[in-house]
Amino acid sequence: DEIQRFVEAATKIRCHSFRGKTYSTLFALLSCTGLRVSEATALHFEDITPDGLVIKSTKFRKSRLVPLHETAEAGINRYLEHRHPYAPYDDHVFVSLQKKPLVSWNVHSTFKTVAKKVGIKSRSGSPRPTPHSFRHTFAVRALESCTGSRDQITKHMLALSTYLGHCKIHHTYWYLEAR
């Protein structure tokens, strides 16, 4: 519910409607894929394939394929229809109003603005929300959905670790501890 309100509020960012489309699509993508901000802002058109997103610019310099649900794919395609004419000479998926790739500090600043607009605040004893909160929420929800035997849970953790691009599985276990 909170994520849906957040993404909707991002569409209403003042200044320019293209900016709202960019950030609402970016935040929705972060929330449904668990990508890092740096991975999403580094995406190029060629990284969008029928099988999903090819993530090349990773924290640990490992490429991986992130499958997309058909609704996420449709959302990216709707965004790209508006984006192509806006900055036709740049092949980054997400571009700023200056027709250049989004930079991390702009994403963090816009996140903070939208969070304030929606009324999302730090919970007592918790760190303040950041764009990385989408990744954390994705991982925790994926872990919560896992049921079954110890072997099934172990396989799920290993798959999630690979999906998130972690080098070591204990980086994924951290999401259980941080909850």
Side-chain angles (χ1 to χ4, degrees):
D1 224 20
E2 201 171 54
I3 291 172
Q4 187 175 1
R5 286 187 298 119
F6 193 95
V7 169
E8 181 149 331
T11 65
K12 299 173 183 155
I13 295 172
R14 294 191 181 187
C15 178
H16 197 285
S17 67
F18 178 72
R19 185 169 185 247
K21 285 178 179 54
T22 299
Y23 281 101
S24 64
T25 304
L26 174 65
F27 294 147
L29 183 68
L30 294 176
S31 71
C32 73
T33 61
L35 291 178
R36 297 175 180 96
V37 170
S38 61
E39 293 169 343
T41 58
L43 286 171
H44 293 264
F45 297 144
E46 68 185 22
D47 299 331
I48 302 172
T49 72
D51 295 324
L53 301 175
V54 178
I55 308 301
K56 297 176 191 164
S57 300
T58 70
K59 184 175 180 178
F60 300 106
R61 312 244 191 282
K62 290 176 18 180
S63 294
R64 69 184 192 280
L65 180 67
V66 173
L68 289 178
H69 188 272
E70 61 191 32
T71 56
E73 188 176 349
I76 289 176
N77 288 334
R78 276 192 307 277
Y79 167 72
L80 290 176
E81 287 176 19
H82 295 281
R83 184 253 175 266
H84 281 296
Y86 188 78
Y89 302 111
D90 191 303
D91 71 340
H92 284 85
V93 173
F94 296 104
V95 292
S96 68
L97 290 177
Q98 291 75 35
K99 302 179 183 183
K100 296 181 179 177
L102 288 183
V103 292
S104 183
W105 69 267
N106 278 345
V107 174
H108 285 267
S109 174
T110 302
F111 179 93
K112 186 176 176 181
T113 300
V114 175
K116 187 175 182 181
K117 182 189 259 190
V118 175
I120 298 173
K121 300 175 187 166
S122 294
R123 292 185 178 107
S124 175
S126 299
R128 64 182 169 76
T130 67
H132 195 73
S133 301
F134 289 125
R135 182 174 171 85
H136 181 89
T137 300
F138 175 86
V140 170
R141 296 278 186 249
L143 294 172
E144 287 175 338
S145 72
C146 184
T147 58
S149 70
R150 185 180 202 100
D151 287 343
Q152 288 173 314
I153 293 169
T154 300
K155 288 177 185 175
H156 187 81
M157 283 297 293
L158 187 55
L160 181 60
S161 184
T162 302
Y163 180 92
L164 291 172
H166 290 156
C167 287
K168 299 178 181 165
I169 198 163
H170 75 267
H171 293 142
T172 308
Y173 277 106
W174 177 85
Y175 287 109
L176 288 173
E177 295 171 16
R179 185 165 187 246

